[in-house]
Amino acid sequence: MKNTPLLLLSIALLLVLAACGGNSGNGGNATDSGKESAVSPATADEKVVIKASNFSFDQKEYHLKKGVPVQIVFENESGHHGVLVPELNLQLDEKSNSQVIFPEQTGTFRMTCAIFCGSGHSQMSADIIVE
Ligand SMILES: [Cu+2]
């Protein structure tokens, strides 16, 4: 009878482990079916940071890969700017500074500043190149 509490504990532990295993199995199935039906924008394999200052972006070109989900992160280094790329449904600013996009076609897309930031606003542009 000395061993009974230990035995009960073991059984309880097994039940907990079994329950955990079942949950993760279901989760895996859900993820698999999600991948088949549509591209999930929640996860990105790559990350690109775009920095803006008065009055330019930190790069003239930003390179993305077709078919690879990418997280775009926007940072203001000076002034108040944003980015806008209508063809990629990309629009970011200080408040909404991160977005996962899924480039489906190759090409060069013009990125402009999304916020009227002052005298240099119209000069603020760069290219998003999907290849
Ligand atoms: Cu601007």
Side-chain angles (χ1 to χ4, degrees):
M1 290 306 282
K2 238 183 169 183
N3 286 337
T4 307
L6 195 63
L7 187 66
L8 286 175
L9 191 67
S10 301
I11 291 170
L13 202 62
L14 279 174
L15 286 174
V16 168
L17 289 174
C20 288
N23 282 344
S24 67
N26 290 342
N29 290 342
T31 309
D32 287 346
S33 60
K35 267 182 189 170
E36 281 168 31
S37 58
V39 174
S40 166
T43 57
D45 299 333
E46 311 232 336
K47 181 178 168 183
V48 170
V49 178
I50 299 172
K51 294 177 183 174
S53 57
N54 289 330
F55 291 96
S56 65
F57 297 107
D58 66 330
Q59 293 183 53
K60 286 277 168 211
E61 297 176 352
Y62 298 87
H63 292 260
L64 308 182
K65 292 175 193 147
K66 181 191 172 189
V68 178
V70 56
Q71 181 187 14
I72 311 287
V73 176
F74 174 73
E75 293 177 12
N76 266 328
E77 293 200 309
S78 64
H80 298 282
H81 311 282
V83 296
L84 177 66
V85 188
E87 292 93 340
L88 297 173
N89 288 320
L90 176 68
Q91 181 165 12
L92 295 172
D93 55 35
E94 278 172 303
K95 286 177 183 168
S96 165
N97 70 341
S98 174
Q99 186 181 338
V100 174
I101 62 168
F102 185 74
E104 289 181 272
Q105 55 180 340
T106 57
T108 300
F109 306 101
R110 201 72 172 153
M111 179 176 86
T112 56
C113 179
I115 296 171
F116 187 76
C117 50
S119 58
H121 174 71
S122 59
Q123 297 152 33
M124 288 188 68
S125 67
D127 286 331
I128 303 278
I129 299 173
V130 181
E131 48 204 352

